[in-house]
Amino acid sequence: MTDQYQNIFEKDLQYVFQNYTRQPIALTRGAGAVVWDVDGKEYIDCVAGIAVNNIGHCHPAVVEAVRRQVGELIHVSNLYYTRQQAELAKGLVLRTGMDRVFFCNSGTEAVEGAMKLARRATERTDFVAAEHSFHGRTMGALSVTHKSQYREPFQPLLSKVEFVAYDDVEALKGSVDQDTAAVILEPIQGEGGVRVPHDEYLRSARDICDDAGALLIFDEVQTGFGRTGRWFAKEHSGAEPDIMTLAKALAGGLPMGAMLAKDEIASRMQKGDHAATFGGSPLVCTAALASLKVIEDEKLVERSARMGDYLMQGLKDLELDRVTDIRGKGLMVGIELEVKCGSIVDYARNHGVLLNCTSDSVLRFVPPLIITEEQIDSVIEVVAQGIKEIE
Ligand SMILES: *Cc1c(COP(=O)(O)O)cnc(C)c1O
């Protein structure tokens, strides 16, 4: 290990909360679908900051826009208007089919906003969420996150939450009633292991909510902005939510979240009901506006669909033992293995590919949407070798 590494690792160990299981590299630079570590070693990045860097690392359009904005105005709070925030709100409304936007700083905050709005708008208390769901780590969002390992040390959470099997219409029907404020679902589950429901599932969820007078929240924090081969994953089903949450790729790598709603729901939020000091600052809005333009100009949504098919087919053609399922949409792909995938992640990293493992045995691929066929070929080769090595 080089001195540089030793130095970074020692400082982290001494001064940083040890709540993350980190991989033993330190990254210094990124461009497109590639990142470099402090030793200058190059990696094809199929993690992309956990589905954040959809337009690639340090896209010149975002870098340029942020560079200009940072010298002009960084932050003023929501006591004042800014042009950037108004423009971004319009851009998001046009692309999502929602009517209004509330800006915050992360996915979990967007979910908190959605849950507060659902209670405010319905004057009901209960939530229904899915097994294997992930909606964030703050108390409200954690209450609708399924994994017991994340929840148990922090009980009591919100008590009025019921979890039902994902992609199971009857189970959902059985649990939504007159007390349900909202059903919250990921249109494709991310952290839970890249689980893709049948198209009718989300449409049925819509009907079930309508029948009970409950709201439907789609958490598109991970699936948004072209990730699944559509602007938003809800488009695969045609189902429309009342409330939608966004974050991750929203601002081209800068931290930002957003909660969107239909007008008749959004209008139930009263002045003073909710707020975020940093939400929708001119700097972050500038980054998001530039990022949306890149996705459009470079046709990254279509590219995600095409490259996703290419990746999925390449993985399927390997016909590997120990692989029980390969699934996903666009460039959100998971390989389910019979074994835990930690050693394959290590093998891939040592051979120049960054991957992560979700739900213990699912290797997840969420690369920048600008990844090339040649890069995908290299990734497939390394992964194939990595899976063979464990035998
Ligand atoms: C990552 C994620 C979150 C939480 O986002 P943070 O920015 O980490 O708070 C919420 N929902 C989904 C679907 C996610 O993938």
Side-chain angles (χ1 to χ4, degrees):
M1 203 190 309
T2 61
D3 289 351
Q4 219 182 152
Y5 268 128
Q6 197 67 38
N7 197 356
I8 295 168
F9 293 169
E10 277 171 9
K11 280 207 185 76
D12 180 285
L13 191 59
Q14 184 167 358
Y15 296 115
V16 180
F17 271 65
Q18 296 296 301
N19 57 312
Y20 293 110
T21 309
R22 291 192 209 272
Q23 298 186 27
I25 55 171
L27 301 172
T28 57
R29 196 159 69 81
V34 172
V35 290
W36 289 269
D37 69 16
V38 293
D39 288 338
K41 184 171 152 75
E42 185 175 314
Y43 304 86
I44 300 175
D45 185 6
C46 289
V47 177
I50 317 184
V52 166
N53 304 107
N54 284 18
I55 61 172
H57 289 275
C58 298
H59 193 289
V62 171
V63 170
E64 207 30 62
V66 167
R67 228 196 271 282
R68 232 179 303 121
Q69 185 60 42
V70 81
E72 222 153 80
L73 193 64
I74 297 174
H75 169 84
V76 293
S77 88
N78 284 298
L79 297 175
Y80 309 99
Y81 296 92
T82 66
R83 174 179 54 80
Q84 290 83 357
Q85 191 181 112
E87 271 180 23
L88 179 59
K90 181 180 176 189
L92 291 175
V93 161
L94 289 176
R95 285 179 184 83
T96 56
M98 298 284 107
D99 295 324
R100 289 182 186 278
V101 188
F102 168 82
F103 289 107
C104 51
N105 310 287
S106 66
T108 199
E109 256 185 275
V111 171
E112 294 294 324
M115 293 175 75
K116 280 180 72 176
L117 177 58
R119 281 196 166 173
R120 190 66 154 133
T122 60
E123 297 176 359
R124 297 178 180 187
T125 51
D126 297 9
F127 293 94
V128 175
E131 290 173 5
H132 306 290
S133 64
F134 183 85
H135 299 293
R137 307 283 203 146
T138 52
M139 289 294 186
L142 186 58
S143 299
V144 290
T145 289
H146 182 242
K147 199 170 183 171
S148 61
Q149 183 198 328
Y150 295 163
R151 303 161 49 79
E152 233 123 72
F154 306 103
Q155 302 277 16
L157 298 169
L158 291 185
S159 57
K160 306 205 163 226
V161 178
E162 192 175 338
F163 291 99
V164 295
Y166 189 62
D167 202 18
D168 182 337
V169 173
E170 290 310 311
L172 193 60
K173 206 176 277 173
S175 65
V176 176
D177 60 27
Q178 303 305 311
D179 295 321
T180 308
V183 172
I184 181 165
L185 296 170
E186 296 155 87
I188 295 175
Q189 290 187 326
E191 301 304 300
V194 190
R195 293 168 196 264
V196 184
H198 295 91
D199 287 346
E200 322 82 87
Y201 178 59
L202 298 176
R203 292 197 292 269
S204 301
R206 176 72 274 173
D207 294 340
I208 290 166
C209 287
D210 287 345
D211 289 346
L215 301 181
L216 180 59
I217 303 170
F218 283 169
D219 182 350
E220 293 238 29
V221 166
Q222 186 158 155
T223 51
F225 303 101
R227 174 53 59 196
T228 73
R230 299 288 180 95
W231 265 95
F232 298 98
K234 70 187 174 82
E235 296 164 30
H236 294 290
S237 68
E240 289 295 336
D242 302 292
I243 304 175
M244 212 175 148
T245 55
L246 300 174
K248 292 199 164 96
L250 168 52
L254 273 71
M256 182 177 224
M259 185 265 288
L260 297 90
K262 291 290 193 184
D263 209 15
E264 71 265 25
I265 313 295
S267 62
R268 303 297 294 274
M269 193 78 106
Q270 302 294 309
K271 295 211 186 287
D273 271 358
H274 199 48
T277 298
F278 283 116
S281 78
L283 182 64
V284 178
C285 287
T286 295
L289 283 163
S291 177
L292 289 179
K293 187 165 183 320
V294 168
I295 295 173
E296 216 145 69
D297 290 351
E298 299 185 12
K299 300 191 166 33
L300 295 186
V301 179
E302 297 81 348
R303 186 183 175 93
S304 172
R306 202 167 64 246
M307 291 297 164
D309 287 346
Y310 185 78
L311 170 61
M312 191 115 76
Q313 197 52 52
L315 292 170
K316 283 182 175 159
D317 288 346
L318 294 171
E319 295 181 2
L320 291 165
D321 291 341
R322 304 217 174 202
V323 170
T324 55
D325 195 17
I326 298 174
R327 59 187 180 241
K329 282 208 195 277
L331 280 170
M332 182 170 177
V333 173
I335 302 183
E336 178 142 20
L337 297 156
E338 279 170 6
V339 291
K340 292 197 171 185
C341 46
S343 65
I344 302 166
V345 169
D346 292 339
Y347 178 93
R349 186 182 62 253
N350 291 332
H351 292 81
V353 173
L354 299 187
L355 282 176
N356 91 326
C357 178
T358 181
S359 209
D360 286 345
S361 59
V362 179
L363 270 181
R364 177 172 49 178
F365 301 75
V366 284
L369 311 183
I370 46 110
I371 195 169
T372 63
E373 284 188 2
E374 294 72 49
Q375 286 169 325
I376 290 176
D377 290 341
S378 307
V379 168
I380 291 172
E381 202 177 303
V382 167
V383 168
Q385 202 52 42
I387 292 177
K388 281 184 195 136
E389 292 278 318
I390 55 171
E391 283 165 8

